[in-house]
Amino acid sequence: MDVAELDQILLAGAVVLLVAVVAVRLSGRLGLPSLLIYLGMGLLLGESGPGHIHFEDAQLAHALGFAALVIILIEGGLTTRWNEVRPVMPLGLVLATVGVAISVGVVACIAHYVLGLDWQIAVLIGAVTSPTDAAAVFSVLRRVPIRPRLRGALEAESGLNDAPTVLLVTLVSTGATSEHGWLYFTGLVFYELVVGALFGFVIGWISVGLIRRVALGSAGLYPLAVVSLAIISYAGGTVLLHVSGFAAVYVTSLVLGKAELPHRMATRSFVDGLAWLAQIGLFVMLGLLASPGRISLNDVLVALVIGTAVTVVGRLLAVVVSATPFKVPWREQAFISWAGLRGAVPIVLATIPLAEGVPQATRIFDIVFVLVLFFTLLQGPSLPWLARKLRVLDENASFEVEIDVAPLESLGADMLQVHVPSESRLAGVEIAELRLPAGVSVSLIIRGDEAFVPDRRTVLRAGDALLVVAPSPLRDQTARRLRAISRAGRLAGWFGERGRENH
């Protein structure tokens, strides 16, 4: 490649990226998941569209797909609230293992006995279509203010179910399941998930200590450090311990997201942009890999049957079996069942049989591609309506307050930047009524174009930005207090700040 060719690639890539960014706004107005637009862009650029780009490298698509999923899981873990995920982590883990196994079994039986597919192909289709997609779940549910319990369960499931399905698809594609048996596979999944999660937790704990203690020269270096440490968790788990890198990187990101790290909001913004870039590149690439011209009417019908089996039968049964022991109400079970969105993960998993040269692998890819397109278009836009009908919306969603932290190294203190949301109960509270820990002060309020130093009688308003200086040991206590008042108002202390925070 010479400079002239590089310039052409950069021009084409920048145009595609800009169109994809603008498409996010369009998809939001139409209520459609953005992945559909990106897949459509890939189809238009592909050999069957006006772009006529020929792309058939399944191994490259497989490798790049895994790399994109790592970035998406990092963003998902960093932006997931630990106090929402922690109580429902057991439910998410059961959904990601037992639930996936039930769904795979149901779909495989229907594919074999109803559609007459070979057992290997039937199990592959069941394994490929059973996991929910982290990118689709994170992007759609963040726009639907559902209860924290539901959001936490769905996000935990989507972050954890990649590991067992990747293992299953790989072992079935290579024929290892017939050689070693299902007992071997079950033990391998248990080992990879548990050890991978433990490894991710250890790396996350070490990373938090490093980032808090090492003063970097620029605020822009903190996001790079966080992403690098999370990727070390993924690669270290797969290379050194041969465990699930996906489980490791997700748990590491959860630990990093829970910690009050320096420049937290800047880190989240950086990783959010990086995840969008990964999603755009992933979906466009998968659209390029697809070829509408080779998809027959029979493949479309098979995709609709499989999609109905996995969405209506397999998913519902998996949720009922997994959630009933946790006493999840039927309304929440119904929403969890319908909100199990498929997206990039099934299509990426479908590249594994392609890369391994499995017979009918191309047909599996085409069936999964059609299934994802149709059922994402069906499920995604209906989630806000269903959440209202089932009455699972979170009434306190508008009270959440965002707090960013910047270290003041020479003073042994931290500066907290607090934005007061429009419906936060911080509005109307006097500075004295905040009852912040001794030694903590609200040093500046920015209100519109005006910045001023408040006194004890200054009343906070919606839209205010506060600069709060707190000694480092009191930083977390101060953040908890501000979040408690944002939810419960000036009387938050009467009901217990921790209880309010974890509600």
Side-chain angles (χ1 to χ4, degrees), residues 268-348:
R268 287 186 172 185
S269 297
F270 172 81
V271 177
D272 181 58
L274 200 61
W276 275 111
L277 182 61
Q279 290 183 52
I280 292 169
L282 174 60
F283 293 130
V284 171
M285 178 192 68
L286 293 175
L288 285 171
L289 191 61
S291 179
R294 69 172 181 244
I295 299 176
S296 65
L297 178 60
N298 183 61
D299 290 339
V300 173
L301 294 177
V302 170
L304 295 179
V305 173
I306 296 295
T308 303
V310 71
T311 304
V312 179
V313 184
R315 175 68 178 176
L316 180 59
L317 183 60
V319 170
V320 170
V321 172
S322 302
T324 299
F326 294 95
K327 299 180 180 180
V328 178
W330 73 266
R331 293 179 185 274
E332 296 185 3
Q333 290 190 28
F335 186 83
I336 292 174
S337 177
W338 189 247
L341 300 177
R342 274 79 190 168
V345 168
I347 306 178
V348 171

Side-chain angles (χ1 to χ4, degrees), residues 138-149:
F138 294 149
S139 63
V140 173
L141 291 186
R142 301 284 165 83
R143 299 197 300 265
V144 183
I146 59 175
R147 294 171 186 167
R149 171 189 176 98

Side-chain angles (χ1 to χ4, degrees), residues 414-416 418 436 440-443 466-470 478 482:
D414 294 289
M415 183 175 65
L416 283 64
V418 183
L436 298 175
V440 177
S441 65
V442 180
S443 59
L466 284 63
L467 296 183
V468 182
V469 177
T478 302
L482 290 170

